[in-house]
Amino acid sequence: MGLAVFSILFPQRCYFTGMILQLTELSALRAAIGTWHGQGESVALVPTMGALHEGHLHLVREAKKHAQRVVVSIFVNPTQFGPNEDFNRYPRTLEQDIAALLGVADAVWLPSVEEMYPQGFASAIHVAGVGEGLCGAFRPGHFDGVATVVAKLLLQVAPDIALFGEKDFQQLQVIKRMVADLNIPVRVMGVPTVREADGLALSSRNRYLSPQEREIAPLLHTTLSALATKLRSGAVAADLLEQAKKELLAAGFTALDYLELRAEEGLAPLSAANISARLLVAAWLGKTRLIDNVRVE
Ligand code: AMP
């Protein structure tokens, strides 16, 4: 069954805008995926919370290299925000998002909160270990919300491959752990961070920054890169990390949640100097929390 036929059979549940199929009901999503899989086509999923930028679009273009069909989900997931976090003011730019995805993705999955969390919803996925330190410690419950919603999206879309940004490096590790532990039949692929010319990682939250904060923000990446260079040449990590924290605060960052060197696989504290590592940081500029990370071979 081609998608034109599909839209005739399910006229209320999906609609085409230009070249993209917009899906708002699970039955319509499943019918579209079933059609594609039935035709022997592979499907990629790129989960997002919308307010799309070039980092998201890079993920979508990567997805198209690995699958014939690409579904982008847009859902601002309430359960991954803490009570004092920015759920209410999180940017919602659906019209622009869909325009940006035209001709790049095949379908956009737009579940409602009621679809994701119907009355009586009582389940949650907790990924211990990798989900517990770093952002997991500073944002209690955050990764439970992420793991649960991503598990649901993977079950809804049943993609062959799902792509996530290394920008949220801990999130990527949590999802890899969950997919392995729960035998979810999907390949999880990490995609390197897309940055502004000055090094600032693209983020939907960058739009919160005042012009003055925006000037300071790239220092996060500059500092991580300089630290990584020194660590590669064998400098002592603990001293360098303390020094870098002081420098970030002196440069205008309001507070630091963490700046740590962790093993790349599993994010455990480093036990040996010769394993691949990641420098990870979370820092505040006023009311905006920025995260970033770089690899240290
Ligand atoms: P979000 O909408 O913030 O939940 O992000 C959706 C996906 O896009 C996640 O897998 C993020 O890691 C990824 N992403 C966000 N920012 C970037 C970026 N600058 N470069 C690459 N991927 C990104």
Side-chain angles (χ1 to χ4, degrees), residues 38-188:
Q39 291 168 181
E41 293 176 317
S42 55
V43 175
L45 171 66
V46 179
T48 80
M49 297 204 298
L52 300 184
H53 51 63
E54 195 48 42
H56 296 114
L57 297 178
H58 178 63
L59 249 61
V60 180
R61 287 191 289 266
E62 277 303 302
K64 201 68 188 175
K65 293 183 193 163
H66 295 273
Q68 277 123 333
R69 300 288 182 174
V70 178
V71 178
V72 175
S73 62
I74 298 181
F75 180 63
V76 185
N77 175 34
T79 68
Q80 70 187 70
F81 289 80
N84 300 315
E85 294 186 352
D86 58 342
F87 175 70
N88 286 329
R89 71 172 182 137
Y90 197 83
R92 287 157 171 92
T93 59
L94 187 58
E95 242 173 70
Q96 289 110 290
D97 292 350
I98 288 172
L101 292 172
L102 282 183
V104 193
D106 296 274
V108 58
W109 167 224
L110 303 164
S112 62
V113 173
E114 294 72 32
E115 176 84 75
M116 294 305 257
Y117 302 112
Q119 189 73 26
F121 188 89
S123 305
I125 295 177
H126 176 75
V127 180
V130 67
E132 287 175 340
L134 306 169
C135 283
F138 286 89
R139 302 183 69 188
H142 169 67
F143 286 123
D144 292 2
V146 168
T148 306
V149 82
V150 171
K152 284 193 63 121
L153 290 168
L154 292 173
L155 290 166
Q156 290 166 345
V157 179
D160 302 276
I161 181 168
L163 293 91
F164 298 86
E166 287 186 356
K167 153 80 172 28
D168 300 277
F169 195 77
Q170 188 176 13
Q171 169 176 282
L172 172 62
Q173 302 306 314
V174 166
I175 289 161
K176 281 185 174 169
R177 183 77 261 160
M178 173 185 78
V179 162
D181 289 353
L182 302 184
N183 305 114
I184 301 177
V186 66
R187 183 177 151 211
V188 174

Side-chain angles (χ1 to χ4, degrees), residues 191-212:
V191 178
T193 304
V194 178
R195 300 179 180 280
E196 301 280 6
D198 59 12
L200 177 64
L202 297 192
S203 164
S204 308
R205 291 187 167 101
N206 289 352
R207 68 187 74 194
Y208 299 156
L209 298 171
S210 69
Q212 197 196 353

